Structures are given as structure tokens and as C-alpha cells.
Amino acid sequence: MSKIITSRRIPSSRFERTAVFGGMALKLGANLAKSAINDIGRGQAPSIRSMLLSTKNFEDITSSLAHMRGAAMKLGQLMSMDDSDLLPPDFVAILARLRASGYAMPSKQLRWVMNENWGSGWLKKFRNFDVRPFAAASIGQVHRGILLDGRKVAIKVQFPNIKKSIKSDVNNLRLMAHASGMVPKNLDFEYYLGVCQAQLISETDYLREAKYMQTFAHLAQSETCIAVPNVVVDFSTPEILTMSFEEGCEFDSIEHFAPIDREHIAYLLVTWTIREIFEFQLVQTDPNFANFRYDTDARQLKLLDFGATVILPHSVLETYQELLQHILNNDKDGVITALAKEKLMPDELPDRISNLLDKALAIGLSELHEKDFFSFTNSKVFEVFNMETMQEFARLVPPSLVPAELVLVQRKLLGLLFLLRKLAVNLPLKQILEHQFSSTMRS
């Protein structure tokens, strides 16, 4: 069943988008003043932070940012990954809400975008075109269609002028985040804003994504269990990407799949990710569940979105090769030394974090090497190095010293880890790593 996505005109000019931010600020200011008066009337000292995250303000913030799409959505994707977040819980709540909400363009605005890209007679080239989108993301929405030759297609349509507004959106988001007081002082927020801006700009070029989709389709052509959509070149532009429509089950309720399917999905995700890093040096870095489908009849994993694809620099590849080699050698000290050498951890860690890291690595390596199957459900490593500790550890890492590609791949790996936990599977992980690593090192 298609999801119902509310239509609302997406602000398309820089002036309009800045006005939305300004309107949000005015609403918040009025709400803050009212809350402060009420607090004083009750004999309480006003708390700016608590007032900002009141129910009324929370609704205003999320509604405004969901209306904007663009940079706010991308920042939410980069800085929060379900259970693994770098930001405080109150800010995370806003970003998480953004991931699950948003608006689609109304038909009039959609028609304008289509006319600009395909000309006014484009509808005559379709047997059917569904004006109701079945998916919407940070910079666009997706429609179903049937071409005159009978091909079923998915058409990804970019929101109007989104690329031109990215820089001003990021500036407005910076002001809002700092003014709210919700950004920790020890978080290099500017770095993440820079990564967000650069990544969003690259993702607005749908011809770039089409090229990577074709590349991955070629890489997967000999794989019976991995499928990639075919690009329909004649119907693709920098702002519209048309591809074959791929049937399959969404991952929203993946935990309810049959155990044999969950294990198969997990195996395919792990082996393909390893090949992306070590064999292709080309990684689709967005782990969003919406980027996957699973065909239960063909037992085939379908990869749908390639906007966040990055080419791995050789230095990043060498980092992963060194880390994986130490892991396969059961060399805990080697892993820690490599993390420090590659600036993935500070030279000096607080004793508590250092002890937890040491313990987590010892448990994880023991479970990997001493058991035939690694349990993503029952592994003790997740009890030691939990999400709170991961957040604290992540804040200690000097992100400006880490290549942006490494940040994005780490996000992919964290998302994969969360998905494997959600799948609740046991995998012969060491065997998979050894086989895939040796295969890619020989190629």
C-alpha cells in the first residue's frame, strides 16, 4: 500500500526559504515570551532550553523544517542514525521527526518542474503517470509511471531550485542551531555542516547519480541476488531521474521477515558492503532503509539510490585494509594503534572510555574468533560499548582531521550495524570477512 504524503508547496526561492526560517524564529520568539511569563507567574526561573523544546515549539520547528526539506533533512541523516546519535536527545528528536515526515509538491508545482525539464507535452509519452508520489526524501519525491512501450518506471523529481538554496539553508540552519543552545560546545558542528553542504550539492545532480547507478548495475550484472534499476536515459535530466520500477518488500518491517530471508538479506548486505569498500572503492554511503527492497520470490536484494555514492581515496582504503587485517589477526592492540594513527581516536582518551574501548574490542574479537557464528542479537559487545558511550567517543574524535569520505563510510557502517541488529541474525562473520577480504586483495 502506498504511503499518503501530504502535498504542500515547497519554497523554491532563496527569499522564500529564508522567510520560512524567519517565520519560524518569530513563532519561537512569541512562544518563548509567553512561556517565560507563565514560568515567572508560577515563581519559576525561565529555562530557555526547556521552553524551546516545549510541545508547541517542537511542532513549529519540525513542521517548518519538514516544509523546507533540503539541508535540514540531510543534516538529520548525517548526524543521526536511529540509535546512534551525535547530538543531544532534544535535537535528535527534531531530526528523527524530520526523517519520518515531510511534504510533497502539489500537482501545480510538480507540473512546472516537469515542463521545465521535459517540455509541455511530456504527459503524452506515458500510458500512465501517478501524480501522487509514493516516496519523498530530502531533495525530491518519487512517482510511478508506465511509458508508452509498457515499461514500468520510477521517476525521481527534484524540488525546484533546491541546489541554489543549499548555501543559504545551511547558514540559516547554523544560526538556528547555535541560537537554540542545543549544539554541544565540544562538537565540531561546522565540520558536519560543511560535509552536509558538499554532500547535498553532489546529490542534487541526478545525472551524476544516473552514472553511478549504471556503474553499480554493471558491477552487479553477474550477481543473481543483487539487482540495480536500469536508468531510462531519455527521461533523465539533472533534476529528474527515471529508472525501471523495482518490485519488492520495503524494509520498514524487516524484523517480521521470515528468518531465512533475514539471514539472506544480512549476508548480502555484509558481502556487498565489503566489496564496495575493498573491491570497487566505490561506496553508496546512505544506509536509509528506504534505499532497499527485497524480492522474496527471487531472494534478491534491490539497491535503489546512489545519490550519496563516494569514490574512496586510496588513503581511506588503506585505513580499512589495516583495520580489517588487525581484526582478522585477533590483534586488539593493533586495532587501537591503527585507530590512533588514522586519527579515528584521540592520542589520549579519558580512562573510562579507554577501558571501555579495550573491553569492547576484547569481547568483540573473542566472539568473532572463538565462535562459528557472530550473534548481532546477543553479542556482549553492545552491552559494554552502548550508544551513550559511542556518542561520547564520537565527540572526542577530531572530525576536521578525518576525510569526509571516511565520515560518510562510517555512517554507512553504523547504519549497517543497526540494520543487522534489527534483523536479529547470526552470521559466520569471520568466514565472510576472510573470504571477501582475501578475494578483494587478490583482485
Side-chain angles (χ1 to χ4, degrees):
M1 181 180 294
S2 299
K3 299 175 183 176
I4 298 176
I5 303 175
T6 303
S7 295
R8 184 179 179 186
R9 187 180 185 282
I10 307 296
S12 58
S13 71
R14 187 177 303 177
F15 175 79
E16 280 184 287
R17 298 178 72 83
T18 300
V20 173
F21 275 108
M24 179 172 63
L26 289 174
K27 284 184 181 179
L28 292 179
N31 292 342
L32 285 175
K34 183 177 180 180
S35 297
I37 292 172
N38 291 337
D39 285 346
I40 293 171
R42 291 192 296 267
Q44 300 173 351
S47 168
I48 298 295
R49 191 182 183 89
S50 62
M51 287 189 295
L52 274 167
L53 272 301
S54 68
T55 300
K56 174 61 176 170
N57 285 329
F58 181 84
E59 292 295 332
D60 285 340
I61 291 172
T62 53
S63 176
S64 296
L65 294 182
H67 185 198
M68 298 284 287
R69 314 304 286 179
M73 306 295 291
K74 179 53 60 179
L75 185 68
Q77 293 171 354
L78 283 174
M79 301 198 68
S80 61
M81 180 44 59
D82 298 287
D83 284 349
S84 176
D85 299 288
L86 298 181
L87 294 172
D90 41 19
F91 206 173
V92 168
I94 293 174
L95 298 178
R97 176 75 169 270
L98 286 173
R99 286 200 302 266
S101 62
Y103 298 97
M105 291 179 282
S107 58
K108 182 178 180 180
Q109 195 173 34
L110 171 66
R111 193 180 307 112
W112 181 87
V113 176
M114 307 297 278
N115 289 345
E116 285 289 303
N117 283 270
W118 286 350
S120 58
W122 61 269
L123 193 56
K124 296 177 183 177
K125 300 176 182 180
F126 286 83
R127 288 187 188 178
N128 180 67
F129 181 92
D130 192 344
V131 296
R132 299 167 301 175
F134 68 87
S138 57
I139 63 173
Q141 59 194 50
V142 191
H143 297 258
R144 287 187 179 90
I146 302 176
L147 298 176
L148 290 179
D149 60 11
R151 282 179 292 171
K152 295 180 180 180
V153 292
I155 307 106
K156 185 156 71 168
V157 185
Q158 195 169 125
F159 299 136
N161 297 323
I162 199 80
K163 186 172 185 177
K164 295 178 182 178
S165 67
I166 291 171
K167 187 174 181 179
S168 61
D169 274 9
V170 169
N171 287 335
N172 286 322
L173 197 57
R174 175 188 291 111
L175 291 172
M176 188 204 78
H178 284 297
S180 70
M182 289 186 285
V183 177
K185 293 181 180 179
N186 60 345
L187 177 67
D188 192 347
F189 192 56
E190 287 299 314
Y191 177 78
Y192 287 100
L193 281 175
V195 174
C196 167
Q197 181 170 312
Q199 186 63 23
L200 195 55
I201 288 172
S202 68
E203 289 186 32
T204 57
D205 185 353
Y206 281 177
L207 290 182
R208 172 186 177 273
E209 181 178 354
K211 181 191 74 171
Y212 283 127
M213 185 175 289
Q214 291 170 319
T215 299
F216 273 96
H218 175 73
L219 293 171
Q221 65 182 357
S222 61
E223 301 291 328
T224 58
C225 294
I226 299 286
V228 175
N230 296 314
V231 175
V232 184
V233 177
D234 293 344
F235 287 83
S236 296
T237 73
E239 296 177 347
I240 297 179
L241 176 56
T242 303
M243 68 200 84
S244 57
F245 184 86
E246 300 295 329
E247 301 285 353
C249 301
E250 297 182 358
F251 276 22
D252 289 349
S253 57
I254 196 170
E255 66 271 20
H256 300 305
F257 285 18
I260 190 172
D261 287 322
R262 284 189 278 115
E263 290 179 4
H264 188 57
I265 291 169
Y267 175 82
L268 293 174
L269 287 169
V270 170
T271 54
W272 187 258
T273 299
I274 293 171
R275 294 189 69 192
E276 284 187 348
I277 295 173
F278 294 104
E279 183 179 344
F280 312 145
Q281 287 100 65
L282 190 67
V283 184
Q284 191 291 102
T285 62
D286 186 353
N288 191 324
F289 293 175
N291 295 337
F292 304 99
R293 293 287 188 277
Y294 183 68
D295 186 329
T296 54
D297 294 328
R299 303 199 71 212
Q300 194 174 60
L301 179 67
K302 299 188 175 183
L303 316 177
L304 304 181
D305 191 295
F306 297 90
T309 300
V310 298
I311 300 172
L312 283 195
H314 190 67
S315 58
V316 174
L317 174 63
E318 287 183 332
T319 296
Y320 282 114
Q321 287 175 336
E322 183 176 2
L323 283 170
L324 184 53
Q325 193 65 68
H326 288 306
I327 290 170
L328 292 176
N329 289 340
N330 198 11
D331 182 2
K332 174 172 64 68
D333 293 336
V335 173
I336 293 175
T337 301
L339 288 172
K341 186 183 78 171
E342 301 300 333
K343 306 298 182 184
L344 293 174
M345 59 178 278
D347 294 331
E348 294 185 8
L349 284 173
D351 289 343
R352 188 179 73 84
I353 297 297
S354 179
N355 292 335
L356 283 172
L357 176 62
D358 189 84
K359 186 176 181 181
L361 284 172
I363 293 173
L365 289 172
S366 173
E367 292 178 345
L368 180 69
H369 287 274
E370 295 177 10
K371 299 179 180 179
D372 293 334
F373 286 82
F374 187 90
S375 173
F376 287 93
T377 305
N378 301 318
S379 173
K380 300 296 183 184
V381 72
F382 299 112
E383 297 176 8
V384 178
F385 211 51
N386 56 32
M387 294 306 166
E388 180 181 348
T389 310
M390 287 177 67
Q391 292 169 19
E392 187 174 349
F393 181 80
R395 294 188 187 111
L396 295 171
V397 177
S400 57
L401 301 178
V402 179
E405 294 87 356
L406 191 56
V407 172
L408 294 169
V409 175
Q410 287 298 102
R411 171 175 165 255
K412 164 75 171 270
L413 294 176
L414 278 175
L416 175 60
L417 178 63
F418 176 80
L419 183 52
L420 293 171
R421 292 269 285 168
K422 190 178 180 70
L423 286 167
V425 294
N426 300 324
L427 285 181
L429 189 58
K430 181 183 177 182
Q431 179 183 337
I432 292 172
L433 291 172
E434 287 178 335
H435 174 73
Q436 292 295 326
F437 186 59
S438 62
S439 298
T440 54
M441 290 297 286
R442 287 196 304 268
S443 61

